[in-house]
Structures are given as structure tokens and as C-alpha cells.
């Protein structure tokens, strides 16, 4: 449309330019009418542009609206000063050049304004006014008025100072320059508008306005020869068109917007009616929901007054709606929780929502309730918080159930955590889901080491298939299965476990309880050994008894036989052979009776030191010069209640065995010491009675006894010697004698390191601890240092760990030198290494200490051994002056040696 208008305007301009100088009838009223219409158009346009500016805040729109306001005012002033319209020479003290100068100012400023608009605008309208729109429009009007007032003052009051534009009806050079400037400015504004895309509808029609403006200036200023010729009238016609284009567009746009607004209002009325109906229905439904809710729903003002109370609230709290509404909510709040309600209302008043708040409330009948509250703010239409909506749910029963459930869970967890048996939970694939803490003491693993892993990784391969069959049977409904499976512990040892297993279909889990059979098997083995020794003792005792009877007959009749054949030398020799054989048989039966604990003993109070010295004298010629006898006897050794002859025989037997173990010579140590075997030691050796003993040790530096044979050395007729070099009755006789005397015997031996046999004989007097000894035992001093215990015997290791922990120390444990070095490398602190001297593996205790001190130079050391201290020192395995705690020992002795070692 704008393009069509420009084309038509161009055609009309060409026609008008051809006849531009044709004089027409002067109509002075035309000026007043034309300029009035022009002023009205520009004023309306300015008002419409200002209204758009008030919405969009665009600086470009504000400038354009100001331009139209300026043209409106300039048109009015121009009409007032035009000669012959309102006065012969014009009003406002106009001169002959005033109208011409006002026309040039008017037609020069507007292109400048449009050019500024084109430069300021963009696709979003350009830069925005941040302040008040009303203030910006008022400032703009004042600025326009000020500029125009200055211009009018100059062209009227200072008229004589201005150059002449018209002289005798002809253009001067000044007017030509002014018109040329106006044309250039108009053309620049048109081109700037064209190139400043994106174009709005206003931009497009402004281009049409500038084309008409160019035609107006050309006809009025170039082609017009005199006032009231064709160009005079045509130019002003283009000026009026230029003023009308934008006004028409804005009016059409406003009409379209009003039509759209009307349609929108109709739509909104329909929507409002629909929403009113929707909200009415929704309110009805919500009211029904509130009334039918199982939760008590209460609304209240911010001061705590109840405003609504549903049926569930009546049932829960016992108050009817008539009784509750209008009263403070404190009627259902226990006195000690009133402050809680005010705190909740304060929080809701700040817009906070409270979800699932558990508290207690009270019924009308005084009964207390546990409730879960959800409280939300209620807002008015303006958004102001005017109250609170609260839903309350009775959780009394669920709390009671939860408490019972938590108690049951806690009880089961305690059972799980404190069980000495191993409790396992696995899934259908045999992966561990839960493992009880007892696994650490049984298998050496932490629960986290096993959870998530398959049981296949821990079960002994030979028992794997049987375990799978048991699990399949459990899933087939054969519950509470009972079977044995061996697991492989962290240290590589096999642990036998007796399992009770069941399957739960709802959770699809296997549940197993495993009892460690290690101690039971050890106890069974010990019982079997005791029973075997007792059975052998009974057998040998019976055989010896019957054999003694036979020997009695033989020895009784051999004298008669000798007398009868005295005259026959060859028969006398035979009789003598029979007598010697009978003597040997008698000696054999004595040994058997000693093992069977049926020999006749004559226990008396014996000075063991004197007896051992006498025995040493007898042994010197028997053992030979290549064996050194070292009698190291305690000066305060107690007397023992024992048969001296049998004790001498026992010492001699042990010495002879030691001699046979040292074919190339060595050292034989005879030692005595006072000891007290306490409850802890007795718990490890069921045949020991707690009390005072005199310990006699016979130690050698010989070849030692293989570990596999140690359990059998006391059996009769069992020997480690070559055939023909031993009867196997020496140690069995000693064993029987010590047991029959009420004592205890212990053997320590390692291949290549010798053997030490300790005999514990009952003290002759003072069988209970003296008062001083009791005080010494009670005043046991402990500590808080860290002790690493290295002991290959698991039972002894557990015993030692328990005793050291009871003294307050932190402990680590190791079964061999390799494990001990691993602890030394990884542990943050190790203050003392407490190690056995003789251990299996590539390192003994002394070698372990040497390596450990290279890694921790400040490490303190305490040795322990079943051998006597002096035997070890003189065998070259330890340096003189080191600390050694000989086995067995009391807790007080252990505590004393630990403090001595840590303080050394």
C-alpha cells in the first residue's frame, strides 16, 4: 500500500511540476484551513506516538512523537504569522521574511527528527527510557516548546538580523541553500529508514511520508514561482498528505487493536464464566473431599482460631464442628506443647510449608494421640497469608508398631553383631549379602571383605558340590538343613564349620548359621588322646599285673631249680639265663606300671636341688666327656612332694634320651624353678590343677623331635630311635610317674634346635598363694603401648593376646615371621615385638628381630620360649642379656616382663 501511494504521489508530482507556475485564485482562507488541518493531524499523531512510547519506552518513538509535536506547533505559528490571513502583515509582530524563515525551520527540523529516529531504532525499538514515561513526555513537550519559542523570537524580534530569503517574489541564494539542505536531509532520512532493517509498519509509512515531504519541499520551494500558484497549492497538499499517512496508519492500527481487544474481552468474559463455574464445581468437589477425607483437616487464622473442622477431625479429636469452630486450636494441644503451635503459626505466617511434623495432641476425653501434621499457608486473592490449613493423621498405632518393629530389628541386629557363630545371608547365586562380625575371629576376614563376593571364593573346593546340593535342597523346601563345610581362612588355614541353613522364598535369600568346629575338634582330639592314653594305661597295667604274677612264679621257682641242678654246671648256666630274663621282665613291668600310674610310690618331702645334683654326679660318667652338664638351680626352690627314687629314675631317663639326641656332643641343662600355674594356663590344659609347683627342666641341644611325633612320644613302646636302640618305655614311665604324683609334664621341641622337657611337681607345703604373692598378682601393672605377638601355636597365641589386651595394651598378632614383618611395615605404631624364639619357616625369632630392627630401629623386644632361658643363651641362639619369658608363665610375670622390656 505504501509503495502504491508513493507511485501515485510521484505521478501527481510530475503533473503538478509541469504546470507549477500557473497562477491560481488567491484564497487566504486556504492557509488557515490547511494549517489547522495539518496541526490537528500532527497533534493526534503525536498523542498516538506518545501513547505507544508509554508502553514501549523507546527513545526513537519519543523523538518521533516530539517531531510531530514540533510540526504541529510550527504549523500553528506559521499560520498566525502568514500575511493576509489573520492580519495584513501577520500576527506576532511578523516581518516580511518571518513566514519564509518559519517554513524553512519547520521543513528542516522534521527530516532531522526522522533521521534521528532511523538511527535510534532497531528490531526491538532501540534504547529504552528507564525512568518515568510521564516525566519523559513532559520534558519532551517542554523542549519542543522551548526550541520553537526561541525560533519564533529570532524570526520576529530579531527579524532584521536574518538574511533575506525572498526578494521581489524571487528566491535568494540563502533560500536556495536552505531548500537544498532540506532536500538533502529528507533524502538522507529516507535512505536511512530504507537501510535500517527490520522494517516495522511505522517505518514503511514513514518512508512514504518522507517521499511526500520531498515532493512538498520541491513544489513549494523549487517549482513555485509565486504565492497561490499551482505549485503553492500542490506543495501544501503533499504536506497535508505527509501529515495524514502516519495518522491514518496509527488510527487503523488502533481500530484493529480495539477490535482485537473487544474480541479478547468477549473471550475473557466467556473464560471467566467458565472458570467461575469450574471453581464453583471444584469448590464443591474439594468440600466433598475434605469432608470424606480420613485425615483431620482443620483451617485456622493466624491467631490460632479454628475456622473450619471436617468430619475426620470430629472423629479424631472428639469435638464436633460446632464445638471447635471459633475456639483456639489450644483445645487439642497439650499444655506443654502450646509454644510449639505458636512457632508453627509464625513459620506459616512467613510462607513456610511444614510437612509430616510428628507431635502429640489430646482428645476431648483427655486421651493423648500421636499425630503427623502437614501445615500450609492460606493466601487471599491478593496473595496475603490470612491463615493456615492443617491436616492431621493419627499415627499412634503406627508409632507403637514402629517401636515394636525397631525393637525387634535392634534385638536381631544385636544377635547378629554379638553372635560367636558365623551368620551369613546369600542370594540365589551364592553371593554374600550380609556377614556377621564374628567372621573376623573365625576366618580372619572383615565382613566388607566378603560382602558382594561369591561363597565359591571361600569354600574348600572339596566341599563345594555338597554345599550346592544343600542349597538346592533348601530351595526345594527342605528347610533347616544341617551339614558341615570347610572354609578357607584369610591365613590359608582350613576351618571346619557346622552349618544350619534355611531358605526364605519371600525375600529369596539363604540364611546360614555356622558354628566353628575348630575348638570342638581340638577338644575331641584331646579327649581321644586322653582316652587312648588311659586305655593304653589300663591295658599295660593289666598286662604288667598279670605278667608280674607270672614272673613271681618264675622267680620263686628258679631258686629251687638252681639247687636241684647244682651238680650239673650246664643246667646251672641255663637256670641263670632264666633268672636274668626274669629280672629283665620285672624291670619291664615296673616301667609299664609306672606309665599305668599303678606303681607303688612313697612320696616324701624332697629337696629337688640336692636330688638333681646327685643325679648330675651319676650322669657324668654315663654321658661322657663330650656332653656338658649345666645344673642351674634356683636357690629358693621349694621342696616337692614326690617319690625321690622315681624322680631320680625319671631324670636319668630324660638325660639318657638327651644323650642319644646329641651323638656329636652338646649341652645338657638341669634347671629348677618355682612356678604358679594359674587359671589361664589351666584353661588351656584341662588336666592341670591351679596351684604352686616346683618346675624341673631337662633340656638338650640335640636333633629335636619332628612336630608330627610330639603327640605320641609319651605312648609306651613308641620311640624315635633306631630299631634295637630303645624300648619306647622311658618317656612313658616319666609321664605316668608325673601324672601319678599329681603333677604336669610339658615337652617343647623343634627339629635342629633340641628338646626341653619340663616336669611340674606339687609343692610340698604352701599349696595356696601366700598373702604377699596374692598382693603381687593383684598389683599387675599394664600399659597403653602397642605389642606385636608372634606365636605359631594358635591356642597359645589367643591366650597371650587375651592376657596382653586385659593389661590395656593394643595388640597385633602374627603366626610367623612373614606375617610379623607385614604388620611392622603397615602398622602406624609398634612399640614391642613379643616373639617366640623357635618358629617354623625360613626365619626364627632371633632372625625376625634382626630384620625388624633394621626397619624400626627403636623397636623393643621380648622373647618367649618353651626352652629354659639358659639353654637358649648357651646354644648360641640369643645374646646374653636379652629378655626372655619362659613358658609357661603367670599373668603377673607377663606384665612384669612387658614393662621391663618397654622400659629397657
Amino acid at each position: 500500500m505504501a509503495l502504491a501511494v508513493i507511485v501515485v504521489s510521484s505521478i501527481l508530482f510530475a503533473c503538478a511540476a509541469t504546470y507549477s507556475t500557473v497562477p491560481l485564485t488567491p484564497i487566504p482562507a486556504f492557509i488557515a484551513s490547511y494549517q489547522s488541518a495539518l496541526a490537528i493531524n500532527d497533534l493526534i499523531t503525536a498523542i498516538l506516538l506518545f501513547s505507544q512510547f508509554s508502553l514501549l519506552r523507546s527513545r526513537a518513538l519519543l523523538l518521533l512523537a516530539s517531531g510531530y509535536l514540533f510540526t504541529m506547533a510550527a504549523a500553528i505559528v506559521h499560520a498566525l504569522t502568514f500575511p493576509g490571513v489573520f492580519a495584513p502583515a501577520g500576527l506576532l509582530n511578523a516581518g516580511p521574511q518571518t513566514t519564509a524563515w518559519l517554513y524553512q525551520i519547520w521543513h528542516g527540523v522534521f527530516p532531522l527528527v526522522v533521521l534521528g529516529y532511523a538511527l535510534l531504532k532497531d528490531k526491538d525499538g532501540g534504547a529504552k527510557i528507564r525512568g518515568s514515561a510521564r516525566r519523559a513526555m513532559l520534558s519532551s513537550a517542554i523542549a519542543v516548546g522551548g526550541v520553537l519559542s526561541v525560533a519564533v523570537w529570532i524570526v520576529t524580534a530579531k527579524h532584521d538580523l536574518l538574511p533575506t530569503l525572498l526578494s521581489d517574489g524571487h528566491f535568494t541564494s540563502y533560500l536556495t541553500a536552505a531548500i537544498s539542505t532540506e532536500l538533502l536531509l529528507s533524502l538522507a532520512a529516507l535512505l536511512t529508514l530504507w537501510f535500517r532493517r527490520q522494517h516495522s509498519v511505522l517505518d514503511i509509512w514513514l518512508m512514504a511520508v518522507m517521499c511526500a515531504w520531498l515532493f512538498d519541499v520541491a513544489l513549494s520551494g523549487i517549482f513555485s514561482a509565486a504565492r497561490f500558484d499551482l505549485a503553492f497549492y500542490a506543495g501544501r497538499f503533499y504536506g497535508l498528505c505527509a501529515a495524514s499517512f502516519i495518522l491514518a496508519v496509527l488510527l487503523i492500527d488502533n481500530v484493529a487493536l480495539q477490535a482485537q481487544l473487544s474480541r479478547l474481552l468477549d473471550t475473557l468474559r466467556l473464560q471467566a464464566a467458565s472458570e467461575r463455574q469450574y471453581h464453583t464445581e471444584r469448590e464443591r468437589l474439594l468440600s466433598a473431599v475434605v469432608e470424606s477425607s480420613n485425615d483431620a483437616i482443620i483451617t485456622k487464622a493466624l491467631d490460632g482460631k479454628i475456622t473450619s473442622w471436617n468430619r475426620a477431625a470430629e472423629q479424631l479429636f472428639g469435638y464436633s464442628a460446632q464445638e471447635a469452630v471459633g475456639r483456639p486450636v489450644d483445645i487439642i494441644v497439650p499444655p506443654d506443647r502450646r509454644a510449639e503451635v505458636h512457632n508453627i503459626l509464625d513459620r506459616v505466617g512467613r510462607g513456610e510449608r511444614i510437612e509430616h511434623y510428628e507431635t502429640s495432641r489430646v482428645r476431648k476425653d483427655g486421651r493423648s494421640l500421636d499425630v503427623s501434621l502437614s501445615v500450609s499457608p492460606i493466601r487471599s486473592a491478593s496473595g496475603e497469608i490470612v491463615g493456615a490449613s492443617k491436616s492431621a493423621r493419627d499415627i499412634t498405632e503406627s508409632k507403637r508398631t514402629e517401636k515394636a518393629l525397631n525393637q525387634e530389628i535392634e534385638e536381631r541386629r544385636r544377635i547378629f553383631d554379638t553372635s560367636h557363630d558365623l551368620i551369613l545371608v546369600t542370594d540365589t547365586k551364592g553371593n554374600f549379602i550380609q556377614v556377621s562380625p564374628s567372621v573376623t575371629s573365625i576366618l580372619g576376614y572383615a565382613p566388607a571383605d566378603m560382602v558382594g563376593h561369591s561363597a565359591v571364593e571361600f569354600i574348600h573346593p572339596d566341599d563345594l558340590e555338597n554345599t550346592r546340593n544343600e542349597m538346592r535342597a533348601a530351595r526345594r523346601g527342605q528347610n533347616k538343613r544341617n551339614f558341615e563345610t570347610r572354609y578357607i581362612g584369610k591365613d590359608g588355614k582350613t576351618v571346619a564349620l557346622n552349618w544350619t541353613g534355611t531358605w526364605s522364598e519371600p525375600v529369596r535369600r539363604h540364611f546360614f548359621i555356622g558354628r566353628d568346629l575348630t575348638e570342638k575338634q581340638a577338644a575331641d582330639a584331646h579327649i581321644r588322646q586322653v582316652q587312648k592314653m588311659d586305655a593304653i594305661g589300663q591295658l599295660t597295667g593289666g598286662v604288667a599285673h598279670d605278667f608280674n604274677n607270672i614272673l613271681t612264679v618264675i622267680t620263686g621257682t628258679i631258686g629251687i631249680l638252681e639247687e636241684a641242678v647244682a651238680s650239673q654246671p650246664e643246667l646251672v648256666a641255663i637256670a641263670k639265663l632264666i633268672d636274668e630274663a626274669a629280672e629283665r621282665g620285672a624291670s619291664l613291668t615296673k616301667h609299664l606300671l609306672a606309665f599305668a600310674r599303678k606303681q607303688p610310690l612313697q612320696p616324701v618331702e624332697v629337696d629337688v636341688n640336692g636330688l638333681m645334683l646327685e643325679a648330675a654326679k651319676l650322669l657324668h660318667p654315663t654321658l661322657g666327656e663330650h656332653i656338658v652338664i649345666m645344673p642351674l638351680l634356683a636357690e629358693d626352690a621349694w621342696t616337692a612332694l614326690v617319690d625321690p627314687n622315681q624322680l631320680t629314675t625319671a631324670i636319668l631317663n630324660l638325660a639318657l634320651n638327651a644323650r642319644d639326641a646329641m651323638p656329636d656332643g652338646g649341652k645338657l641343662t638341669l634347671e629348677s624353678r618355682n612356678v604358679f600355674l594359674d587359671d589361664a594356663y589351666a584353661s588351656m590344659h584341662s588336666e592341670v590343677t591351679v596351684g604352686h609347683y616346683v618346675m624341673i627342666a631337662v633340656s638338650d641341644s640335640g636333633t629335636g623331635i619332628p612336630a608330627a611325633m610330639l603327640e605320641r612320644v609319651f605312648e609306651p613302646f613308641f620311640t624315635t630311635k633306631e630299631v634295637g636302640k630303645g624300648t619306647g618305655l622311658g618317656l612313658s614311665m616319666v609321664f605316668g610317674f608325673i601324672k601319678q604324683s599329681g603333677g604336669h609334664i610339658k615337652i617343647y621341641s623343634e627339629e635342629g634346635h633340641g628338646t626341653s622337657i619340663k616336669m611340674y611337681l606339687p609343692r610340698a607345703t604352701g599349696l595356696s598363694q601366700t598373702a604377699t604373692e596374692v598382693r603381687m598378682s593383684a598389683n599387675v601393672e599394664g600399659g597403653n603401648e602397642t605389642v606385636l605377638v608372634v606365636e605359631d601355636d594358635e591356642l597359645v597365641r589367643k591366650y597371650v593376646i587375651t592376657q596382653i589386651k586385659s593389661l590395656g595394651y593394643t595388640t597385633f598378632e602374627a603366626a610367623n615371621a612373614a606375617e610379623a614383618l607385614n604388620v611392622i611395615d603397615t602398622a602406624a605404631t609398634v612399640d614391642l615385638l613379643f616373639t617366640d624364639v623357635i618358629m617354623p619357616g625360613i626365619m626364627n625369632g632371633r632372625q625376625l628381630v634382626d630384620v625388624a630392627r633394621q626397619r624400626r630401629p627403636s623397636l623393643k623386644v621380648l622373647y618367649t620360649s618353651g626352652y629354659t632361658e639358659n639353654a637358649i643363651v648357651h646354644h648360641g641362639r640369643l645374646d646374653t642379656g636379652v629378655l626372655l619369658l619362659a613358658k609357661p608363665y603367670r599373668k603377673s610375670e607377663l606384665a612384669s616382663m612387658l614393662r621391663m622390656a618397654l622400659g629397657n
Side-chain angles (χ1 to χ4, degrees):
M1 288 178 64
L3 182 62
V5 167
I6 291 171
V7 171
V8 171
S9 298
S10 301
I11 294 170
L12 292 175
F13 171 76
C15 296
T18 305
Y19 304 100
S20 60
T21 58
V22 175
L24 297 178
T25 304
I27 307 175
F30 171 77
I31 297 299
S33 302
Y34 153 72
Q35 308 244 123
S36 298
L38 188 64
I40 292 171
N41 280 4
D42 287 347
L43 177 61
I44 296 172
T45 303
I47 291 171
L48 292 174
L49 288 172
F50 274 127
S51 67
Q52 285 197 9
F53 162 75
S54 66
L55 297 175
L56 301 178
R57 303 294 185 93
S58 169
R59 292 181 184 273
L61 275 177
L62 179 63
L63 180 62
L64 186 60
S66 301
Y68 271 96
L69 189 63
F70 178 84
T71 59
M72 178 273 296
I76 293 173
V77 174
H78 184 271
L80 292 174
T81 60
F82 202 88
V85 178
F86 296 103
L91 298 176
L92 303 178
N93 196 27
Q97 302 295 319
T98 296
T99 305
W101 271 108
L102 282 173
Y103 187 87
Q104 300 308 317
I105 293 170
W106 170 17
H107 283 74
V109 169
F110 185 73
L112 275 174
V113 170
V114 174
L115 180 61
Y117 165 81
L119 294 173
L120 287 174
K121 72 102 183 176
D122 57 23
K123 63 180 180 179
D124 296 323
K128 308 295 182 185
I129 296 292
R130 298 299 179 190
S132 168
R134 183 175 299 178
R135 186 181 297 110
M137 290 187 289
L138 181 60
S139 300
S140 176
I142 292 172
V144 168
V147 170
L148 188 60
S149 296
V150 171
V152 170
W153 177 74
I154 291 173
V155 299
T156 55
K158 301 298 181 180
H159 174 271
D160 296 338
L161 301 176
L162 297 174
T164 302
L165 299 179
L166 287 171
S167 178
D168 298 329
H170 298 286
F171 295 171
T172 66
S173 59
Y174 292 107
L175 182 59
T176 302
I179 292 172
S180 300
T181 302
E182 293 165 11
L183 288 173
L184 288 173
L185 287 173
S186 299
L187 183 62
L190 176 63
L191 293 174
T192 304
L193 280 169
W194 172 257
F195 287 108
R196 292 282 289 174
R197 302 171 186 264
Q198 302 272 351
H199 292 144
S200 65
V201 174
L202 181 62
D203 297 340
I204 292 170
W205 284 100
L206 267 177
M207 286 187 275
V209 166
M210 294 315 299
C211 287
W213 197 267
L214 282 167
F215 298 153
D216 176 11
V217 172
L219 289 172
S220 300
I222 297 175
F223 293 102
S224 177
R227 290 176 176 173
F228 301 114
D229 60 6
L230 180 64
F232 178 85
Y233 285 107
R236 279 152 181 80
F237 170 76
Y238 274 108
L240 184 60
C241 289
S244 302
F245 287 157
I246 295 299
L247 176 61
V249 169
L250 291 173
L251 289 173
I252 291 170
D253 193 32
N254 280 349
V255 169
L257 287 172
Q258 287 190 5
Q260 185 178 356
L261 180 61
S262 177
R263 291 192 298 271
L264 181 61
L265 285 172
D266 290 339
T267 303
L268 290 174
R269 288 191 191 97
L270 292 174
Q271 286 180 349
S274 175
E275 286 184 4
R276 279 196 300 274
Q277 182 179 359
Y278 167 76
H279 285 299
T280 301
E281 181 65 21
R282 187 167 178 265
E283 186 176 352
R284 186 186 65 79
L285 289 173
L286 285 174
S287 179
V289 169
V290 168
E291 286 302 315
S292 62
S293 173
N294 292 327
D295 293 340
I297 299 177
I298 304 167
T299 61
K300 53 192 174 185
L302 291 179
D303 61 0
K305 290 251 182 101
I306 298 170
T307 56
S308 70
W309 186 270
N310 74 340
R311 191 172 303 159
E314 294 179 344
Q315 296 172 353
L316 180 60
F317 296 111
Y319 292 95
S320 66
Q322 291 77 13
E323 292 175 309
V325 173
R327 297 179 64 182
V329 75
D330 289 350
I331 61 173
I332 61 170
V333 180
D336 60 338
R337 292 188 179 268
R338 299 277 168 84
E340 173 188 283
V341 174
H342 298 303
N343 178 50
I344 290 174
L345 288 174
D346 288 342
R347 291 168 63 186
V348 171
R350 295 193 296 270
E352 186 177 345
R353 292 173 59 91
I354 300 171
E355 299 286 347
H356 308 300
Y357 180 79
E358 294 187 3
T359 183
S360 63
R361 292 293 180 260
V362 63
R363 281 176 52 86
K364 182 180 180 181
D365 58 11
R367 182 162 56 89
S368 179
L369 298 171
D370 290 320
V371 294
S372 174
L373 303 180
S374 293
V375 189
S376 303
I378 299 175
R379 299 180 184 272
S380 64
S382 62
E384 181 185 1
I385 297 173
V386 295
S389 171
K390 175 175 71 177
S391 66
R393 175 171 296 177
D394 185 5
I395 59 171
T396 305
E397 189 59 34
S398 64
K399 289 280 284 186
R400 188 180 296 114
T401 303
E402 181 184 1
K403 183 178 179 181
L405 179 60
N406 289 338
Q407 182 176 350
E408 184 177 350
I409 291 173
E410 177 63 15
E411 289 171 354
R412 293 188 178 185
R413 188 179 69 82
R414 290 293 182 187
I415 293 173
F416 185 83
D417 290 345
T418 60
S419 173
H420 290 292
D421 292 335
L422 178 56
I423 303 175
L424 303 177
V425 181
T426 69
D427 59 16
T428 54
K429 296 181 179 179
N431 297 318
F432 292 119
I433 306 300
Q434 282 185 286
V435 179
S436 66
S438 56
V439 71
T440 304
S441 61
I442 296 174
L443 297 178
Y445 292 102
D449 297 336
M450 298 180 68
V451 171
H453 293 266
S454 173
V456 174
E457 301 176 30
F458 304 93
I459 297 175
H460 193 285
D462 295 343
D463 295 346
L464 192 57
E465 189 58 36
N466 179 57
T467 304
R468 285 173 173 156
N469 292 335
E470 292 292 344
M471 293 176 71
R472 295 187 191 105
R475 286 200 295 271
R476 288 195 298 268
Q478 299 178 26
N479 290 336
K480 296 183 180 178
R481 308 289 295 168
N482 191 284
F483 58 96
E484 288 188 11
T485 296
R486 289 169 295 171
Y487 271 58
I488 300 174
K490 190 173 184 179
D491 58 3
K493 294 181 180 178
T494 299
V495 180
L497 295 154
N498 180 264
W499 293 99
T500 299
T502 186
W503 163 258
S504 173
E505 185 61 34
V507 297
R508 298 192 62 77
R509 292 284 187 267
H510 285 284
F511 295 85
F512 298 101
I513 299 177
R515 176 153 295 177
D516 186 0
L517 298 178
T518 304
E519 292 185 5
K520 180 178 178 298
Q521 289 176 342
D524 290 345
H526 179 70
I527 291 172
R528 286 194 299 270
Q529 178 68 13
V530 171
Q531 289 174 342
K532 180 178 76 171
M533 296 297 282
D534 286 343
I536 294 174
Q538 291 175 9
L539 175 62
T540 54
V543 170
H545 180 268
D546 292 342
F547 192 34
N548 259 346
N549 291 337
I550 296 171
L551 287 175
T552 301
V553 176
I554 294 174
T555 56
T557 57
I558 194 65
I560 299 171
L561 182 60
E562 285 181 346
E563 291 178 0
V565 297
S567 59
Q568 301 179 43
E570 67 278 6
L571 293 179
V572 171
I574 294 172
K576 189 175 182 180
L577 287 175
I578 296 172
D579 186 47
E580 291 175 354
E583 285 295 331
R584 291 179 60 192
S587 177
L588 176 61
T589 56
K590 285 181 181 180
H591 284 79
L592 292 176
L593 287 172
F595 173 75
R597 307 175 209 177
K598 294 180 180 180
Q599 63 179 326
L601 297 180
Q602 296 177 353
V604 294
E605 204 171 316
V606 176
D607 177 8
V608 294
N609 284 352
L611 185 143
M612 292 177 71
L613 289 173
E614 290 297 326
K617 292 177 182 178
L618 294 174
L619 288 172
H620 271 295
T622 305
L623 299 182
E625 296 298 328
H626 62 295
I627 294 178
V628 179
I629 301 175
M630 299 287 294
L632 300 170
L633 309 175
E635 293 181 1
D636 59 345
W638 299 318
T639 57
L641 189 64
V642 68
D643 187 320
N645 294 326
Q646 294 298 326
L647 178 57
T648 302
T649 303
I651 294 173
L652 293 176
N653 268 317
L654 295 178
L656 292 174
N657 281 343
R659 178 200 61 187
D660 295 338
M662 299 183 289
D664 298 325
K667 293 179 182 180
L668 176 69
T669 304
L670 303 177
E671 186 176 0
S672 66
R673 183 157 58 95
N674 299 330
V675 298
F676 178 79
L677 300 182
D678 56 13
D679 291 320
Y681 188 83
S683 66
M684 298 169 60
H685 304 85
S686 57
E687 75 279 8
V688 173
T689 302
V690 176
H692 285 275
Y693 293 85
V694 181
M695 187 275 291
I696 297 175
V698 179
S699 306
D700 65 65
S701 59
T703 56
I705 302 172
M709 296 183 180
L710 279 176
E711 291 186 358
R712 300 190 60 196
V713 293
F714 293 124
E715 295 179 11
F717 306 112
F718 177 82
T719 180
T720 60
K721 301 174 184 178
E722 298 178 10
V723 177
K725 290 190 177 182
T727 62
L729 290 174
L731 286 179
S732 62
M733 183 274 293
V734 175
F735 176 86
F737 158 66
I738 295 297
K739 293 296 182 182
Q740 190 174 353
S741 299
H744 170 59
I745 187 168
K746 188 71 175 176
I747 183 169
Y748 300 91
S749 184
E750 293 282 349
E751 282 190 276
H753 297 288
T755 302
S756 180
I757 297 178
K758 295 183 177 181
M759 298 177 288
Y760 299 87
L761 302 173
R763 181 179 178 181
T765 57
L767 298 180
S768 299
Q769 282 181 287
T770 64
T772 302
E773 290 168 340
V774 169
R775 286 196 299 271
M776 289 178 60
S777 298
N779 296 329
V780 172
E781 183 183 358
N784 56 8
E785 291 92 347
T786 302
V787 180
L788 170 58
V789 178
V790 187
E791 170 62 59
D792 60 302
D793 189 306
E794 184 178 3
L795 188 61
V796 175
R797 186 169 68 250
K798 288 182 178 179
Y799 159 73
V800 174
I801 289 289
T802 302
Q803 294 295 332
I804 295 178
K805 281 185 176 179
S806 70
L807 292 169
Y809 296 97
T810 302
T811 61
F812 292 108
E813 60 178 291
N816 51 52
E819 292 183 11
L821 291 175
N822 183 52
V823 173
I824 287 170
D825 290 337
T826 58
T829 303
V830 178
D831 298 303
L832 175 67
L833 174 61
F834 183 36
T835 179
D836 197 358
V837 178
I838 306 302
M839 293 186 297
I842 59 174
M843 283 189 194
N844 60 25
R846 177 55 185 271
Q847 292 166 330
L848 167 62
V849 169
D850 292 340
V851 176
R853 277 185 164 162
Q854 290 175 2
R855 302 181 184 186
R856 291 180 184 254
S858 61
L859 185 66
K860 305 295 179 62
V861 177
L862 174 62
Y863 292 98
T864 184
S865 177
Y867 303 100
T868 62
E869 178 180 359
N870 296 285
I872 294 176
V873 169
H874 294 93
H875 290 173
R877 285 188 287 274
L878 290 176
D879 294 332
T880 302
V882 299
L883 294 179
L884 176 76
L885 180 61
K887 301 176 184 177
Y889 41 79
R890 285 188 264 175
K891 182 177 180 180
S892 58
E893 295 171 329
L894 172 63
S896 175
M897 290 299 290
L898 288 174
R899 292 316 312 160
M900 186 183 298
L902 287 165
N904 188 3

